[in-house]
Amino acid sequence: MVARELAGSRLRKTFLDGLADSRMIASVKDPRHIETALSLRGRLSGVFLLTGHIGVVKGYVDVFKKHELPVFLHLEKIGGLSTDSYGLDYLAKAVKPTGIISTKTNVVKTAKKMGLTAIQRFFLVDSEGLDNIAKSLRQIEPDVIEIMPARMPEVIGKVKALSNLPIITGGLLYEQSQAEECLRCGAAAISSSSPELWKGTYSHNLSKRIT
């Protein structure tokens, strides 16, 4: 367990350090976009994998790790993968992603115990969503917060007031200018499923323009 925690700590540091240089994360929803993400790895700080099933996901993870791209599995999107302690233990020992994404506080808590970097995703549809974030953070602190949708950049500041954790935001982004606005409002990085946005110049250079 100690060795696993040390390995998880190194992967977490690599990912968080990478956010300072490349503030774009590729959300891969279609296996056909894996090659595109790999070709743009110099512009990406990591990959969120939202496709696949238990039979193929290790192969996907191994490909990204071979190319030194941190890879996170959205557990609710991977078919056949249990999110109980047995499933997460298998994930940590056999699949070995950088970490996981989940909307569930109990899953985040268990994943952290397994040495996995944990990103908790929150959907903000009204003011109650902010209360839910505060409540969840009192129960367990993830390594990173992801808030969706991204088209509410002014809300990023409200979430930052709740925690010093890095904030990633995504969803409903269609233009580079929209992504840039989110970063100006305090997001550490943008997650997007659009290969066109992955290619945007800001994914590599914006951190040098926004302080």
Side-chain angles (χ1 to χ4, degrees):
M1 179 63 76
V2 173
R4 190 191 306 180
E5 290 177 350
L6 289 174
S9 179
R10 288 194 295 270
L11 288 170
R12 180 164 51 251
K13 185 177 187 303
T14 298
F15 173 66
L16 295 177
D17 288 349
L19 291 178
D21 295 321
S22 302
R23 303 176 71 180
M24 170 59 67
I25 297 167
S27 292
V28 176
K29 296 182 177 181
D30 188 325
R32 291 174 297 180
H33 289 161
I34 290 176
E35 287 298 327
T36 304
L38 292 174
S39 71
L40 296 170
R41 60 187 177 276
R43 295 179 177 270
L44 303 174
S45 54
V47 170
F48 290 173
L49 194 60
L50 287 76
T51 186
H53 53 78
I54 192 65
V56 299
V57 69
K58 178 172 172 53
Y60 293 163
V61 168
D62 287 347
V63 167
F64 288 119
K65 289 172 64 177
K66 179 180 178 181
H67 290 83
E68 300 183 344
L69 259 178
V71 54
F72 295 80
L73 304 186
H74 192 314
L75 297 184
E76 285 96 57
K77 302 291 186 179
I78 305 297
L81 181 64
S82 172
T83 57
D84 62 15
S85 60
Y86 299 107
L88 291 174
D89 185 58
Y90 168 79
L91 187 72
K93 291 179 178 178
V95 182
K96 299 180 181 179
T98 308
I100 60 94
I101 307 163
S102 179
T103 60
K104 301 174 181 178
T105 300
N106 63 318
V107 172
V108 168
K109 183 177 181 179
T110 304
K112 285 176 66 71
K113 289 181 179 179
M114 301 295 178
L116 295 164
T117 301
I119 299 174
Q120 188 160 4
R121 175 177 283 187
F122 296 96
F123 292 94
L124 292 175
V125 295
D126 52 30
S127 59
E128 187 177 348
L130 290 172
D131 295 336
N132 290 337
I133 293 177
K135 180 180 178 180
S136 292
L137 293 178
R138 286 194 294 268
Q139 297 178 47
I140 181 67
E141 186 175 89
D143 297 294
V144 178
I145 296 170
E146 185 183 25
I147 57 174
M148 301 184 78
R151 295 295 295 280
M152 301 183 295
E154 67 278 2
V155 178
I156 295 172
K158 297 182 183 296
V159 178
K160 286 178 70 69
L162 299 174
S163 172
N164 291 323
L165 294 172
I167 296 172
I168 296 169
T169 189
L172 299 179
L173 289 173
Y174 305 106
E175 304 291 340
Q176 179 171 322
S177 60
Q178 296 166 349
E180 291 182 355
E181 185 177 9
C182 291
L183 294 176
R184 290 192 185 95
C185 288
I190 300 298
S191 62
S192 173
S193 60
S194 169
E196 291 306 312
L197 284 181
W198 303 347
K199 300 172 185 177
T201 55
Y202 70 92
S203 64
H204 186 68
N205 297 319
L206 191 61
S207 59
K208 300 177 177 61
R209 303 205 307 268
I210 294 180
T211 59

